[in-house]
């Protein structure tokens, strides 16, 4: 049914017009805003036709027909227009009807102007399409997906023709990880099924290509099925995203990006809109669809072309074209002029290339945020996409944004960071989990106001980059692909990981160390009595004994006082005897060691001095020995097999070692250039099945049951050693690092979360939580008492007793000096008394002293000459005494022969 609407608005000016009237036909659907644009644009041409040299002076009569898209009816409408003599036909919007109109216009050579997206736009002569070319749009969508680093996304399209606009995007699929899923929207109005399927697939990125008429329903239902969280991103293919109400979606954090052809802030658009403000039927220019603006512009282009045609030839329209199966001879000229025209309209620069496609046009990139839709960039044919730099959000804004946001948080079942609750009743949701990491998130959410859902990383893989494919796995992969927002566990911050994700500031500091079983007490030994002293000390003691005994022997031989009368009843003995024979000297020293003494007692001051120092030395040594022996007997000794991590390398005890198969510890070894660590890594990787368990729990079990040492992070070692008393940390830390909460790279929430961690640290909450999970909960503190009982008994080394040896050496040296003095004095006295030279006398003395076998010494005969000078008392005692009276008494007795001479 055709309803012909003849616009009578312009009839008065046509009737009373200046010059001729040119009719243009417009085919529009009922209640179509494009019809209004068509009418308003013709109105402008008519109103300005005398003042604007660019417009034709002819009156343009805009004949509008409402079509119902039935092809027969449409052809009747076209015929009606053609028979009336139209200079151009605009519309309709419907694809099939438009094709039909186009073929009729081609035949009659009436310019046909359309403003609809035509997926099969051809280079035909008779039609001028104002809409940007599909191929161009397709490339822009691809560019967007690349810029957003989408590795996986779903294309949700309305009809198969939409796929033509998506074909560049489809090319993004490749075997190496770019997944593109294509789903068609069913016949409306219920689209929930397909939307649910997208949600279940976990794909967070969707390209929606459907008409603006169904888009509001699709978005609404997407929100209803939960496809509009802050993990989700949408590219909307329609150029009319700004015309629909997006308010319900602007607070949920869903990312929306679209393109628009009409910039509502452009002066031309504002001007045009304000000219007819009351007639558009919308409140502001942002609600004008691309088609409306394009129809408006197309009429303007027609007005300019008509002017140029008028200037060139005296043209007139032809009537009865349909009836006579005839064509309009000026149709193609008018079309060619339209294609060559360059002007600026509501849709920016209007220009066509040689093939009749819009060229050099500009599109705005728009994105949705908390305040609504904003321009986030522009696209043009020469520069491609240009993003407007985002103003950085203030902390306050970020905090506001965090409120009521729901994050998916990855956790791992690694005690004590995340564990399943031991609860009698069956828990659901987040209540199923507890642990240090869980508590930190709870505290942060109280502070920042966000909600969260925990998701367990079943394989315990946190994330490593494959050395060849450079792809990430585990939790990091999920965060990068937007399948999760955060991850909290013993997640080590490493430089490599920081290239892929962002971390908060560390909530715990640690380093790599070794977990190994505690040493077992050694069985009792027959030679346990030797343990108080180290081997070196025993050697030194032996040496000291020999040297000191020898010193006694020599000193006693040189010391005059040590030569005594063996028979006290004989006043003038023939010989003097020395009690420090070789054997006695050794016996005397051993007697002191045993603290038993001996019958031999030193007489001379020098030998007594030596004896004194030796006694002091022995006293200290024996006391130290007894004291340390007591410790050794009380405390069980535990042989330590390894003291540092390096001791594991090529260890003689057959201790195997390893680390968690996938994690920062083994990555540390892989990255290390230290020769020993490199070799250790080779060994571990070579035997990875046996040595690199998939989780820390498995590693701990191996340490307890096998001859195995496990490289582990000190924080976790501390936790395990607190509960399992037969394992402990061995040695210090190989490095220093921290655990952080991981999130997507460049996350706007990073600062807010780091500040939250800092606050928890400053208020002591983190320390409290650490105490709770390390020392109290789940068997914490079980090994505390036993800690006090660990053995500290160590053999005393040279470092401990070296001082006593020094004292002894000093003593022996002093007594040696004193022995020399005594000898000199005695020889001096004798040489004077006997009137012999000092040197001879000394030679004699020394000669005798070195005859070690002789323990008795003949008494030297006094010479008669000298004897006369001596006092009687002297003669009786036969002795001379050193001046200070401490020296020995030298008894010289005349021999038998001497007496006979008397
Ligand atoms: N904390 C490590 C990581 O973030 C896991 C445990 C380990 O490798 O020792 O990968």
């Amino acid at each position: 049914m055709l309803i012909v609407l003849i616009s009578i608005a312009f009839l008065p000016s046509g009737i009373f017009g200046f010059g001729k009237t040119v009719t243009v036909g417009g085919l529009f659907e009922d209640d179509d805003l494009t019809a209004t644009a068509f009418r308003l644009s013709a109105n402008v041409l008519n109103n300005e036709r005398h003042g604007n040299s660019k417009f034709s002076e002819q009156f343009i009569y805009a004949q509008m027909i409402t079509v119902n898209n039935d092809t027969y009816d449409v052809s009747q409408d076209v015929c009606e227009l053609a028979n009336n003599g139209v200079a151009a036909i605009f519309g309709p919007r419907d694809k099939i009807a438009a094709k039909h109109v186009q073929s009729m216009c081609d035949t009659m050579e009436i310019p046909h102007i359309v403003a609809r997206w035509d997926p099969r736009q051809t280079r035909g002569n008779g039609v001028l399409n104002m809409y940007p070319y599909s191929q161009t749009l397709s490339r822009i969508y691809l560019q967007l997906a690349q810029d957003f680093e989408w590795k996986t996304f779903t294309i949700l399209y309305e009809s198969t023709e939409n796929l033509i606009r998506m074909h560049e995007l489809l090319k993004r699929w490749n075997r190496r990880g770019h997944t593109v899923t294509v789903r068609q929207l069913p016949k409306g109005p219920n689209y929930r099924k397909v939307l649910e399927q997208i949600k279940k697939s976990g794909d967070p990125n969707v390209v929606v290509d459907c008409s603006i008429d169904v888009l509001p329903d699709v978005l609404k239902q997407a929100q209803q099925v939960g496809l509009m969280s802050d993990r989700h991103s949408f590219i909307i293919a329609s150029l009319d995203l700004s015309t629909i109400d997006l308010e319900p979606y602007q607070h949920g954090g869903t990312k929306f990006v679209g393109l628009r052809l009409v910039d509502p802030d452009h002066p031309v658009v504002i001007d045009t809109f304000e000219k007819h403000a009351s007639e558009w039927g919308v409140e502001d220019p942002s609600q004008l669809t691309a088609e409306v603006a394009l129809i408006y512009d197309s009429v303007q282009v027609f007005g300019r072309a008509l002017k140029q045609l008028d200037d060139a030839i005296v043209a007139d329209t032809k009537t009865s074209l349909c009836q006579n199966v005839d064509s309009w001879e000026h149709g193609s000229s008018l079309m060619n002029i339209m294609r060559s025209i360059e002007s600026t309209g509501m849709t920016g620069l209007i220009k066509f290339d040689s093939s009749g496609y819009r060229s050099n046009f500009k599109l705005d990139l728009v994105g949705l945020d908390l305040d609504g839709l904003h321009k986030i960039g522009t696209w043009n044919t020469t520069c491609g996409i240009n993003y407007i730099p985002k103003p950085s959000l203030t902390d306050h804004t970020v905090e506001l944004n965090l409120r009521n946001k729901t994050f998916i948080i990855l956790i791992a079942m690694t005690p004590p960071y995340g564990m399943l609750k031991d609860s009698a009743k069956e828990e659901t949701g987040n209540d199923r989990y507890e642990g240090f990491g869980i508590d930190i998130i709870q505290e942060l959410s109280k502070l920042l106001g966000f909600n969260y859902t925990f998701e367990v990383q079943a394989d315990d893989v946190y994330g490593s980059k494959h050395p060849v494919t450079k792809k990430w796995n585990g939790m990091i992969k999920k965060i990068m692909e937007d399948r999760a927002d955060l991850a909290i566990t013993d997640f080590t911050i490493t430089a490599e990981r920081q290239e892929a994700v962002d971390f908060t500031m560390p909530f715990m500091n640690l380093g790599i160390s070794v977990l190994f079983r505690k040493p077992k007490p050694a069985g009792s030994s027959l030679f346990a009595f030797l343990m108080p002293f180290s081997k070196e000390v025993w050697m030194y003691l032996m040496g000291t004994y020999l040297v000191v005994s020898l010193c006694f022997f020599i000193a006693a031989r040189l010391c005059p006082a040590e030569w005594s009368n063996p028979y006290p009843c004989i006043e003038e003995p023939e010989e003097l005897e020395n009690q420090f024979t070789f054997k006695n000297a050794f016996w005397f020293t051993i007697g002191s060691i045993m603290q038993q003494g001996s019958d031999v007692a030193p007489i001379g001051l020098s030998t007594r001095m030596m004896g004194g120092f030796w006694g002091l030395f022995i006293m200290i040594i024996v006391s130290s020995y007894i004291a340390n022996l007591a410790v050794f007997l009380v405390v069980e000794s535990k042989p330590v097999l390894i003291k540092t991590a390096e001791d594991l390398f090529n260890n003689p005890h057959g201790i195997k070692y390893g680390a968690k198969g996938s994690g920062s510890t083994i990555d540390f070894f892989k990255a290390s250039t230290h020769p020993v660590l490199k070799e250790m890594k080779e060994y571990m990787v070579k035997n990875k099945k046996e040595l690199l368990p998939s989780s820390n729990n498995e590693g701990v079990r191996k340490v307890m049951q096998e001859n195995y040492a496990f490289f582990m992070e000190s924080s976790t070692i501390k936790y395990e050693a607190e509960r399992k008393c037969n394992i402990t940390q061995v040695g210090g830390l190989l490095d220093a690092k921290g655990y952080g909460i991981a999130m997507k790279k460049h996350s706007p929430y990073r600062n807010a979360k780091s500040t939250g961690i800092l606050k928890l640290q400053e208020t002591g909450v983190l320390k409290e939580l650490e105490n709770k999970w390390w020392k109290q909960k789940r068997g914490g503190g079980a090994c505390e008492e036993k800690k006090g009982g660990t053995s500290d008994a160590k053999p005393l080394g040279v470092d401990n007793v070296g001082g006593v040896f020094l004292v002894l050496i000093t003593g022996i040296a002093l007594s040696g000096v004193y022995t020399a003095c005594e000898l000199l004095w005695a020889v001096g006295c004798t040489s004077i008394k006997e009137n012999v030279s000092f040197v001879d006398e000394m030679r004699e003395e020394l000669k005798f002293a070195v005859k070690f076998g002789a323990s008795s010494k003949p008494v030297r005969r006094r010479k008669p000459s000298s004897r006369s000078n001596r006092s009687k008392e002297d003669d009786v005692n036969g002795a001379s005494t050193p001046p200070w009276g401490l020296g020995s008494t030298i008894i010289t007795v005349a021999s038998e022969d001497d007496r006979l001479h008397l």
Side-chain angles (χ1 to χ4, degrees):
M1 175 77 188
L2 287 174
I3 303 165
V4 179
L5 281 179
I6 299 177
S7 172
I8 55 165
F10 309 110
L11 279 177
S13 54
I15 294 162
F16 311 105
F18 312 91
K20 292 179 282 175
T21 295
V22 172
T23 305
V24 289
L27 302 171
F28 302 106
E29 285 156 28
D30 203 6
D31 206 13
D32 197 342
L33 207 58
T34 46
T36 311
F38 177 68
R39 179 173 57 80
L40 293 176
S41 190
N43 202 4
V44 168
L45 290 179
N46 289 331
N47 290 344
E48 294 179 9
R49 71 187 202 271
H50 298 304
N52 193 333
S53 60
K54 287 180 184 156
F55 294 156
S56 165
E57 292 213 344
Q58 299 198 44
F59 181 82
I60 293 171
Y61 169 51
Q63 182 180 358
M64 292 185 288
I65 300 176
T66 303
V67 291
N68 65 2
N69 296 335
D70 180 287
T71 45
Y72 175 74
D73 292 346
V74 169
S75 48
Q76 293 299 308
D77 295 338
V78 174
C79 266
E80 188 189 325
L81 290 171
N83 289 340
N84 289 344
V86 283
I89 294 178
F90 293 79
R93 216 176 142 200
D94 179 72
K95 177 179 70 184
I96 298 166
K99 285 272 166 239
H100 206 68
V101 174
Q102 190 191 324
S103 62
M104 289 178 76
C105 287
D106 280 352
T107 314
M108 296 182 283
E109 292 193 32
I110 297 172
H112 180 209
I113 301 154
V114 290
R116 56 178 284 278
W117 171 64
D118 184 0
R120 297 184 204 284
Q121 194 172 340
T122 51
R123 291 158 198 263
N125 249 351
V127 68
L128 182 75
N129 196 339
M130 301 286 288
Y131 207 93
Y133 184 42
S134 293
Q135 188 76 24
T136 313
L137 292 176
S138 190
R139 280 197 292 268
I140 302 174
Y141 300 137
L142 173 66
Q143 181 68 50
L144 285 175
Q146 280 168 347
D147 291 351
F148 299 157
E149 293 174 14
W150 281 7
K151 295 216 167 107
T152 151
F153 59 89
T154 300
I155 296 174
L156 187 61
Y157 67 98
E158 192 178 3
S159 72
T160 38
E161 292 195 326
N162 292 78
L163 280 182
I164 294 173
R165 197 152 61 172
M166 296 287 113
H167 89 277
E168 288 287 337
L169 266 177
L170 289 170
K171 284 190 202 159
R172 190 154 166 80
W173 177 89
N174 65 30
R175 276 177 209 290
R176 278 176 289 116
H178 288 178
T179 317
V180 183
T181 314
V182 181
R183 293 181 196 271
Q184 186 169 16
L185 278 170
K187 275 231 163 315
N190 188 350
Y191 310 105
R192 289 183 189 87
K193 201 165 163 208
V194 68
L195 294 167
E196 265 166 13
Q197 283 169 351
I198 299 175
K199 191 194 165 204
K200 275 194 196 132
S201 74
D203 194 342
N205 307 316
V206 187
V207 182
V208 184
D209 191 2
C210 62
S211 71
I212 196 66
D213 304 330
V214 300
L215 186 63
D217 280 342
V218 173
L219 296 184
K220 189 171 144 202
Q221 291 174 22
Q223 191 177 41
Q224 286 167 352
V225 302
L227 200 59
M228 289 250 183
S229 73
D230 52 1
R231 291 192 315 112
H232 292 103
S233 303
F234 286 80
I235 292 178
I236 307 294
S238 164
L239 297 186
D240 299 322
L241 180 63
S242 57
T243 63
I244 62 168
D245 180 18
L246 294 171
E247 206 273 337
Y249 319 113
Q250 69 193 38
H251 304 285
T254 315
K255 196 161 145 195
F256 275 97
V257 175
L259 299 169
R260 74 178 176 200
L261 193 56
V262 184
D263 179 358
D265 300 322
H266 196 283
V268 175
V269 177
I270 295 172
D271 232 42
T272 312
F273 187 80
E274 280 175 358
K275 248 186 228 166
H276 323 277
S278 58
E279 295 176 74
W280 284 109
V282 292
E283 279 160 20
D284 66 82
S286 66
Q287 288 166 333
L288 294 175
T289 62
E291 273 188 49
V292 169
L294 286 169
I295 281 288
Y296 188 95
D297 283 353
S298 62
V299 177
Q300 296 292 308
V301 172
F302 173 80
R304 285 173 158 81
L306 194 63
K307 159 84 177 153
Q308 288 187 22
L309 187 71
D310 272 354
D311 290 350
I313 48 171
V314 183
D316 208 349
T317 51
K318 220 178 196 176
T319 52
S320 309
L321 284 172
C322 221
Q323 281 161 2
N324 304 336
V325 198
D326 200 357
S327 63
W328 182 38
E329 62 273 25
H330 302 300
S332 57
S333 308
L334 187 60
M335 182 62 99
N336 287 338
I337 296 171
M338 279 198 279
R339 283 188 181 145
S340 63
I341 276 186
E342 199 175 313
S343 63
T344 306
M346 290 181 91
T347 56
L349 179 69
I350 303 165
K351 195 178 167 189
F352 298 91
D353 63 12
S354 54
S355 309
Y357 299 144
R358 281 283 293 261
S359 67
N360 291 59
F361 62 98
K362 186 190 114 224
L363 291 171
D364 280 349
L365 206 59
V366 286
L368 189 66
D369 64 25
L370 287 177
D371 307 324
L373 212 57
H374 287 290
K375 183 166 161 176
I376 56 167
T378 54
W379 175 92
N380 63 42
T381 28
T382 39
C383 308
I385 296 178
N386 250 325
Y387 293 95
I388 300 168
K390 246 189 186 171
S392 58
L393 296 175
T394 62
D395 282 355
H396 178 66
T397 330
V398 172
E399 240 171 71
L400 278 181
N401 288 356
L402 269 167
R403 296 219 168 265
N404 301 325
K405 276 242 143 62
T406 302
F407 295 117
I408 295 181
I409 304 181
L410 294 172
I411 52 171
M413 291 297 101
T414 308
Y417 311 96
M419 296 170 284
L420 272 176
K421 250 186 206 164
D422 284 337
S423 168
K425 64 175 171 118
E426 202 171 306
E427 306 278 7
T428 53
N430 289 347
D431 293 341
R432 283 171 293 171
Y433 312 108
E434 64 174 12
F436 184 53
I438 311 290
D439 281 0
I440 290 179
I441 292 292
Q442 243 162 29
E443 294 297 332
L444 277 181
S445 98
K446 272 193 237 160
L447 218 62
L448 303 171
F450 61 85
N451 302 318
Y452 53 89
T453 310
F454 288 123
E455 196 181 298
V456 177
Q457 179 73 20
D459 58 7
D460 257 350
V461 176
Y462 300 170
S464 304
K465 190 155 115 184
H466 193 281
V468 182
T469 61
K470 306 281 174 220
K471 283 202 179 135
W472 287 89
N473 61 1
M475 292 178 166
I476 292 193
K477 184 177 179 207
K478 283 193 185 161
I479 291 175
M480 287 172 84
E481 289 175 359
D482 272 328
R483 286 193 276 149
D485 302 296
L486 304 172
I488 187 162
T489 179
D490 51 331
F491 213 146
T492 310
I493 304 171
T494 63
E496 195 178 43
R497 282 175 176 173
Q498 241 165 351
E499 285 169 16
V501 289
D502 271 347
F503 284 97
T504 58
M505 64 165 298
F507 57 82
M508 188 166 230
N509 296 311
L510 56 293
I512 297 173
S513 193
V514 180
L515 180 75
F516 192 52
R517 60 172 190 271
K518 278 186 185 159
K520 290 203 180 96
S524 41
S525 147
L526 280 180
F527 298 99
F529 67 90
L530 290 175
M531 282 188 318
F533 290 140
S534 67
K535 256 191 230 150
E536 297 83 61
V537 172
W538 283 122
M539 304 292 280
Y540 281 121
L541 281 177
M542 297 273 286
T544 308
Y545 164 68
L546 295 176
V547 171
V548 170
S549 303
L550 218 57
C551 287
F552 262 112
F553 173 66
I554 294 167
R557 287 188 76 78
L558 291 176
C559 174
E562 288 297 338
W563 294 100
S564 58
N565 178 1
Y567 313 108
C569 45
I570 300 172
E571 278 194 6
E572 291 194 343
E574 290 291 310
E575 280 184 336
L576 298 178
E577 250 183 30
N578 195 324
Q579 56 177 339
F580 276 103
T581 58
F582 197 70
K583 279 193 255 169
N584 280 356
F586 279 81
W587 181 242
F588 171 74
T589 44
I590 208 128
S592 318
I593 293 173
M594 299 304 159
Q595 306 206 310
Q596 297 301 313
S598 65
D599 287 345
V600 185
I603 302 166
L605 190 67
S606 54
T607 43
R608 281 184 180 172
M609 193 188 282
M610 201 181 281
F613 277 104
W614 172 245
L616 178 72
F617 170 79
I618 286 302
M619 186 183 78
I620 296 169
I621 287 291
V622 170
S623 321
S624 309
Y625 173 81
I626 291 171
N628 211 24
L629 182 65
V631 177
F632 269 91
L633 294 180
V634 171
V635 175
E636 294 171 315
S637 87
K638 294 173 179 170
V640 180
L641 297 182
I642 48 166
K643 289 192 188 123
T644 63
E646 282 85 1
D647 290 352
L648 284 170
F649 178 59
N650 284 341
N651 71 82
H653 314 288
I655 304 167
K656 294 177 178 169
Y657 52 88
K660 188 182 165 200
S662 162
S664 57
T665 302
I666 192 69
D667 287 349
F668 163 81
F669 280 92
K670 285 179 183 166
S672 174
T673 50
H674 190 282
V676 173
L677 298 183
K678 259 169 96 174
E679 289 216 30
M680 289 176 101
K681 176 218 92 186
E682 298 291 327
Y683 162 76
M684 290 191 271
V685 172
K686 213 159 104 195
N687 305 294
K688 65 175 174 206
K689 268 207 178 129
E690 188 193 352
L691 303 179
L692 302 180
S694 62
S695 69
N696 277 344
N697 290 344
E698 176 62 10
V700 174
R701 188 200 58 74
K702 277 172 88 68
V703 171
M704 298 193 19
Q705 293 174 1
E706 299 168 22
N707 191 19
Y708 179 79
F710 190 50
F711 284 103
M712 202 177 179
E713 284 159 335
S714 53
S715 49
T716 321
I717 291 183
K718 204 168 130 199
Y719 174 82
E720 296 293 348
E722 195 84 33
R723 284 152 184 82
K724 295 167 185 136
C725 307
N726 54 345
I727 53 176
T728 187
Q729 176 177 330
V730 173
L733 306 183
L734 296 184
D735 62 353
K737 47 205 182 185
Y739 293 151
I741 303 175
M743 67 196 80
K744 200 167 164 74
K745 194 89 196 140
H746 308 305
S747 165
Y749 309 126
R750 183 177 159 216
N751 276 351
K753 289 200 181 113
S754 284
T755 313
I757 293 282
L758 210 58
K759 277 188 192 152
L760 294 182
Q761 222 159 43
E762 281 167 4
T763 49
V765 176
L766 276 187
K767 193 75 213 154
E768 259 173 48
L769 291 180
E770 195 183 322
N771 279 343
K772 172 178 160 188
W773 289 107
W774 263 257
K775 296 201 183 302
Q776 295 160 10
K777 294 275 225 168
R778 303 250 187 167
C783 307
E784 225 131 66
E785 332 71 61
K786 293 184 185 168
K787 265 185 192 160
T790 49
S791 164
D792 265 333
K794 271 195 257 154
L796 296 176
V798 179
D799 295 349
N800 309 103
V801 291
V804 203
F805 282 87
L806 276 183
V807 171
L808 179 68
I809 291 168
T810 317
I812 289 177
L814 280 177
S815 61
V817 171
Y818 197 77
T819 309
C821 294
E822 276 184 327
L823 185 68
L824 287 174
W825 180 257
V827 169
C829 289
T830 312
S831 66
I832 292 165
K833 266 191 265 165
E834 299 301 327
N835 204 16
V836 286
S837 98
F838 178 83
V839 178
D840 291 345
E841 188 60 22
M842 180 56 88
R843 191 182 302 125
E844 286 299 314
E845 278 297 330
L846 291 179
K847 255 192 208 166
F848 181 76
V850 296
K851 278 187 203 156
F852 291 143
S855 61
S856 55
K857 177 165 138 181
V859 176
R860 301 270 301 261
R861 185 172 304 280
R862 201 181 288 138
K863 295 264 169 48
S865 55
S866 62
R867 191 174 163 81
S868 60
N869 299 331
R870 293 172 63 101
S871 68
K872 192 164 179 351
E873 198 181 69
D874 278 354
D875 285 348
V876 170
N877 294 328
S880 70
T881 311
W884 49 88
L886 293 169
S888 54
T889 304
I890 302 170
I891 304 163
T892 44
V893 182
S895 68
E896 196 64 34
D897 299 346
D898 285 347
R899 260 182 263 149
L900 285 174
H901 283 278
L902 282 168

